[in-house]
Amino acid sequence: MLADQLKGGATAFAVGALATHLVATVLQNTPDSYNQDLRKFTGGWPLPGWRFFAPNPGVQNVHLLVRETAGDGPTPWRDVTPVVPHGWTQVLYNPRSRGPKALFDAMQQLSVMSANQADFAWVTRSLPYELVCAASRAAVSDEARALQFLLMNVFPSAPAQHRMKPILTSEWIPLGTAPRAAEAAA
Amino acid sequence: MTLAASAGLALARGNRRAQIAAATVIGTCNRLSEIRTPYGRDGADQMTAVVTQYRALTALIPDQRFSDDLFLRAVNFQAALSYAVSGVSKAFGSSWVQGDALIEVLRTEAYGSGPAAALLRRHPKLCRALTIGTVAWETAFPLVYLLPREQASHALSAVKAFHAGVAAAMELPRFVWGFFGAHGAVGYVLDTRGTPRTFEKAVVGIAGGVVLASALIAREKRLTARERRLGPKGSARLRHAGGDVEYRVDRPGDGAASRTVIVLECGLGQSLESWEWVAEGLARHHTVVRYHRSGYGLTTSRAASGDLLAAVLDEIGAEGEIVVVTHSIGSLSAASYVRDPRFADRVDKLVVVDGTDPALLDEDRTDRRRFGTFLQAQLYTLLAAVTGIYEWAPNAVERQAGYTPDTQFGHVQFVFSPRNVVNSVREYRAVRTEGALSRLGAVPSVLVVASDEFADQQAALAEKLGAKYEVVHGSAHRSIIGHRHHAEKVEDAVRRFVDAC
C-alpha cells in the first residue's frame, strides 16, 4: 500500500514538474525581453531561452583592453581578448569558443546596466564586472600594481565612423600579489 | 566526468538503466557548470540539459513505458518549441526580416571564421535568402507534425543539414550534438500521432489558457481605464470636426491663475497623464492645458494638432499668452502650429523637453534599418499589449514612470492600448519635419531641457534652435517627466523660464 502511494507520488511529482517546466518555458520565451524570471515557479530549475540570434543578433566583436601601472605612469592599452583558433577542427569540436562567448555575455549584461543608467558602484559589484576583472587580472604582468580594463564593441558591418563603441571603462583596480599568483597557477 | 558519462551513454545503447545513470551524471554536471558560471553557455547546452535532466526526472516514474513516453514527448515539445520560438523571435527582428542578419553575423570574429563562412560572405544574395529562409522554416517547424511520415523525415533531415551548415560556417558543433539527439524524440511523436490525449497537448492547452487569461485581464484593465477617463474624475471632451477631443485643464485652486496658459504636448504614444507631475506644479500659478492629439485616447477627431488645440482654448476661454511645453515628438506637433496666425502672436515662449530633432527623425525614417528597428519596438509593444504581458513582466514604461497609483494605472493602460500603439506608428510616419526647425526657432524665447540619456543630442538641438539649455541629471527620456524628482526640475526650469522672460 505504502509502496503504491510512493510510486503514485513519484509519478505525480515527475509529471507535475515537467508540465510546470514546459509551461514556464513557453511563457518565458516571448520574442522580446518582456519576461520575468519565471524560475521562481520551477523551484530554481533554469528555463531554456530559445531565441537564438534573435531578435537582434550580436553583430559585434567584443574586445577586452587592459592597461596597468607598475611604478611609472600607466602603460598603453593592450588588447587581451582571448584568441580562438579557427578551422575544420573547430567544426567538430570547439570548446575554446566559450571564452569569447563568456566575454560577450558579460559585455551584454554590462551594456544593459549602462543603458539603464545603473549606478557605477552597483556595476562594480556585479557578476559580469567581476568576471571581466578576473580575465583582466590574468592578462597583466606580475609587476603590475593596479589595472584598468576597457570593454570595446567593434561592429564590422557598421560605417567606419560608428564602428567602435566603448562599453565600459573600469576604475583602477589595485592588485594584490598573492591572489594573482594563485589565479595564474589556476 | 561529462566526457566519461557521454562515452558510457554512447556505449550503453539498449541498456535503459545505464543510459539513465549516464544522463543523470551529464545533467548534474551541466547544472553544476551553470551554477559556477552562467556565462559562455549557449542553446546547445540548454538542449543537453533538457534531454539529460528530463531523462533523470522521468526515471522516477515506476511505469517504464509511461516514463519513456513522457520523457520523449517532453523533449519533443522543447525541440519543437526551440525552433518555433527562434523563428518567431527572428520575425520580430528587423535585420532578419530585411535579410541582413546572417551576413552581419558572419562578419564577426566569433561566428564568421569557420571554413564555410568566407564562402557565404562572397555570395550576399545567398546569405539574404538563407536569412529569410531561416526565419520561414524555423517559424513553420511545427507544421512537420502535419506532414506524412516520409516527408516529415525529409524535413528533419533538412534541419540536420542546417545544423551541420551552421557548424561549418559558424563553428558551432555543439548544436549538432544537442539537437540531433532531440530529433529522436520528434521522430517518436511523429510515429505515435493520433493518440487523443497526450502530455504535450495538455501543456499547450495550459500555456494557451494562461496567455488567454492574461490577455483578457489586460483587456479588462484597459476598459476600466477607459471608463475612468469617461467618468466625472476623468478628462473633458468636446466635439470638433466630426469627432471628440480629449483634454484636461488644471488651474490654481484659489482661482488666481495668471493669464498665461501653459500647453503641454505629449510625446509619441504618451498619455496626457505623462505630464501629471509637471502639470500639478505649474497649475499652482497658471492655467495648464493638456490634450490628446488625433487618434490617441478618446480623441477621435482627425483634425490637425493646431485645430484641436485652438478648439480647446476656445472652449475654456483662454485668451492670454501661450507657453508651449513639449516632450519628445511633441515638439514637431508644436512646430505645426506655433507660427500659425492663430497662435503666432500668442506663443512667444517654447520649452522643448528632450525634443525630437527633425533632421534625426528624417534619417531614422528613411534608413530602412532604423525604421525597421522602430517598427520592431512598436511590434513588441503591440504584442505585450494584446497578450497582456506588460501586466506581469517588467517593462520600460512602468520603470520610467512613478505617478500616484490611479495616474500610473491610467498611463500604463494608455501606453499599452493596441489602438494607441498603432496610432504611434501612424504619427511617426506622418509627422511633418519640413521647416519644423525654423518654425520652432522663430519663437522668440526657446529653452531646451535635456535628459541625461540624450544630453549631447539635445545640446545640438538647442544650438540649432538658438535656445537656452539645461540638463536634468540622472533622468532618462521618459523618466524626465515620469519620476517626480526629475519632473520637479523640469517644472522649476519652465517656471523660471516663464517668469524670467
Side-chain angles (χ1 to χ4, degrees):
Chain A
M1 188 66 180
L2 180 63
D4 286 345
Q5 283 180 336
L6 284 175
K7 285 179 183 176
T11 302
F13 171 75
V15 172
L18 267 187
T20 305
H21 193 252
L22 287 170
V23 170
T25 307
V26 173
L27 299 177
Q28 181 91 26
N29 278 274
T30 52
D32 190 20
S33 55
Y34 276 110
N35 53 59
Q36 282 189 350
D37 188 354
L38 294 177
R39 279 181 298 181
K40 61 187 170 198
F41 297 109
T42 60
W45 192 1
L47 297 166
W50 297 129
R51 295 180 286 262
F52 307 123
F53 295 93
N56 302 312
V59 294
Q60 71 271 50
N61 300 317
V62 184
H63 286 263
L64 173 62
L65 288 86
V66 170
R67 64 177 179 171
E68 60 195 68
T69 53
D72 303 332
T75 61
W77 289 104
R78 280 186 301 127
D79 190 340
V80 296
T81 313
V83 177
V84 179
H86 298 288
W88 281 106
T89 317
Q90 281 67 42
V91 172
L92 297 171
Y93 185 60
N94 195 13
R96 289 181 67 183
S97 66
R98 289 190 187 278
K101 177 71 167 56
L103 198 59
F104 184 86
D105 291 346
M107 177 280 303
Q108 276 209 315
Q109 218 170 330
L110 291 169
S111 296
V112 170
M113 287 182 185
S114 169
N116 286 319
Q117 301 188 313
D119 182 63
F120 191 69
W122 186 55
V123 172
T124 58
R125 288 194 298 271
S126 68
L127 193 59
Y129 188 89
E130 284 181 23
L131 177 109
V132 181
C133 265
S136 304
R137 279 199 192 97
V140 296
S141 66
D142 289 341
E143 292 75 34
R145 291 210 306 245
L147 73 83
Q148 189 177 31
F149 68 79
L150 167 65
L151 274 177
M152 176 79 81
N153 266 348
V154 179
F155 296 85
S157 300
Q161 68 272 25
H162 299 304
R163 204 159 281 171
M164 294 169 78
K165 186 180 175 190
I167 297 299
L168 176 82
T169 308
S170 78
E171 60 200 339
W172 277 100
I173 302 159
L175 299 169
T177 310
R180 284 181 49 234
E183 275 169 26
Chain B
M1 187 174 284
T2 301
L3 196 60
S6 303
L9 190 62
L11 295 171
R13 194 173 173 82
N15 185 336
R16 185 172 181 272
R17 285 191 174 190
Q19 284 179 336
I20 289 171
T24 306
V25 171
I26 296 169
T28 305
C29 290
N30 187 305
R31 181 74 188 110
L32 290 173
S33 159
E34 187 176 11
I35 290 169
R36 189 178 62 179
T37 172
Y39 302 109
R41 296 167 61 80
D42 55 34
D45 297 307
Q46 296 185 108
M47 186 52 85
T48 303
V50 160
V51 173
T52 53
Q53 291 166 8
Y54 280 12
R55 180 66 280 187
L57 180 65
T58 52
L60 295 174
I61 299 171
D63 181 336
Q64 189 175 315
R65 201 167 151 220
F66 179 51
S67 165
D68 292 349
D69 179 74
L70 189 65
F71 162 62
L72 291 167
R73 289 187 183 282
V75 171
N76 162 71
F77 189 94
Q78 288 285 10
L81 188 67
S82 71
Y83 292 121
V85 164
S86 181
V88 172
S89 299
K90 287 182 175 84
F92 276 75
S94 68
S95 69
W96 284 100
V97 175
Q98 298 186 39
D100 301 321
L102 182 58
I103 190 92
E104 290 183 356
V105 169
L106 290 175
R107 285 189 188 127
T108 63
E109 288 167 18
Y111 300 117
S113 305
L119 185 72
L120 282 172
R121 278 198 301 269
R122 284 200 294 273
H123 297 88
K125 282 185 180 171
L126 176 62
C127 280
R128 192 170 286 272
L130 286 172
T131 303
I132 294 166
T134 301
V135 180
W137 82 254
E138 285 187 340
T139 306
F141 183 85
L143 296 179
V144 77
Y145 300 100
L146 303 178
L147 294 174
R149 187 64 180 89
E150 193 180 346
Q151 278 75 16
S153 293
H154 294 327
L156 283 180
S157 299
V159 174
K160 286 186 176 72
F162 167 82
H163 284 300
V166 168
M170 299 165 71
E171 297 178 324
L172 286 171
R174 287 189 290 276
F175 282 79
V176 172
W177 314 125
F179 282 80
F180 275 29
H183 283 193
V186 177
Y188 172 79
V189 170
L190 286 171
D191 288 336
T192 55
R193 281 181 289 186
T195 312
R197 280 186 295 176
T198 58
F199 177 67
E200 63 269 22
K201 286 176 189 165
V203 168
V204 168
I206 294 169
V210 170
V211 172
L212 183 64
S214 168
L216 290 175
I217 289 168
R219 183 171 171 274
E220 200 55 39
K221 286 191 173 180
R222 286 195 297 270
L223 287 175
T224 303
R226 182 183 160 81
E227 291 298 318
R228 285 187 187 177
R229 282 180 182 283
L230 291 166
K233 290 184 179 176
S235 45
R237 277 170 296 150
L238 69 90
R239 293 290 295 174
H240 176 73
D244 285 342
V245 189
E246 184 186 8
Y247 68 98
R248 187 168 297 176
V249 182
D250 296 285
R251 294 188 174 96
D254 56 7
S258 69
R259 274 177 57 78
T260 302
V261 176
I262 298 178
V263 172
L264 303 178
E265 277 282 352
C266 300
L268 189 77
Q270 299 298 297
S271 69
L272 47 77
E273 284 87 355
S274 65
W275 282 111
E276 193 70 12
W277 295 126
V278 176
E280 187 182 291
L282 292 174
R284 287 191 207 110
H285 303 288
H286 303 286
T287 299
V288 179
V289 174
R290 294 174 269 171
Y291 75 107
H292 278 145
R293 294 190 293 272
S294 177
Y296 286 119
L298 301 177
T299 299
T300 52
S301 170
R302 304 311 292 179
S305 300
D307 297 338
L308 298 177
L309 181 60
V312 171
L313 293 177
D314 276 352
E315 175 76 9
I316 65 170
E319 292 172 348
E321 69 165 17
I322 299 168
V323 177
V324 180
V325 183
T326 70
H327 179 231
S328 192
I329 211 167
S331 59
L332 296 181
S333 172
S336 70
Y337 61 76
V338 285
R339 293 295 90 191
D340 183 304
R342 290 173 293 179
F343 297 99
D345 294 338
R346 296 174 68 185
V347 178
D348 60 1
K349 298 182 190 75
L350 170 70
V351 182
V352 175
V353 181
D354 244 17
T356 300
D357 185 326
L360 293 180
L361 179 64
D362 275 340
E363 285 176 22
D364 287 349
R365 289 194 298 198
T366 49
D367 183 301
R368 71 180 171 89
R369 291 296 299 275
R370 291 197 217 167
F371 185 64
T373 304
F374 167 78
L375 281 183
Q376 183 182 327
Q378 297 304 310
L379 210 53
Y380 288 151
T381 310
L382 193 60
L383 178 83
V386 172
T387 58
I389 293 171
Y390 70 96
E391 284 293 340
W392 47 273
N395 61 73
V397 174
E398 288 199 89
R399 269 208 310 272
Q400 292 201 22
Y403 304 107
T404 51
D406 282 358
T407 305
Q408 180 85 357
F409 178 80
H411 174 67
V412 171
Q413 301 306 327
F414 181 97
V415 174
F416 284 104
S417 155
R419 180 169 169 266
N420 291 331
V421 177
V422 172
N423 199 53
S424 300
V425 177
R426 180 198 63 79
E427 183 176 42
Y428 182 87
R429 294 180 64 184
V431 69
R432 297 189 62 178
T433 52
E434 304 85 19
L437 263 186
S438 60
R439 286 196 296 276
L440 292 173
V443 176
S445 298
V446 184
L447 168 68
V448 171
V449 182
S451 70
D452 237 356
E453 188 179 2
F454 291 113
D456 293 343
Q457 195 187 92
Q458 293 300 298
L461 179 63
E463 200 175 324
K464 289 181 190 175
L465 292 172
K468 293 168 188 161
Y469 171 72
E470 289 187 24
V471 181
V472 177
H473 294 290
S475 66
H477 185 60
R478 280 182 283 206
S479 74
I480 191 171
I481 58 171
H483 286 179
R484 188 172 193 162
H485 56 292
H486 297 324
E488 283 174 349
K489 288 175 186 158
V490 173
E491 181 227 323
D492 181 55
V494 173
R495 208 156 16 81
R496 279 187 283 109
F497 181 67
V498 171
D499 293 346
C501 294

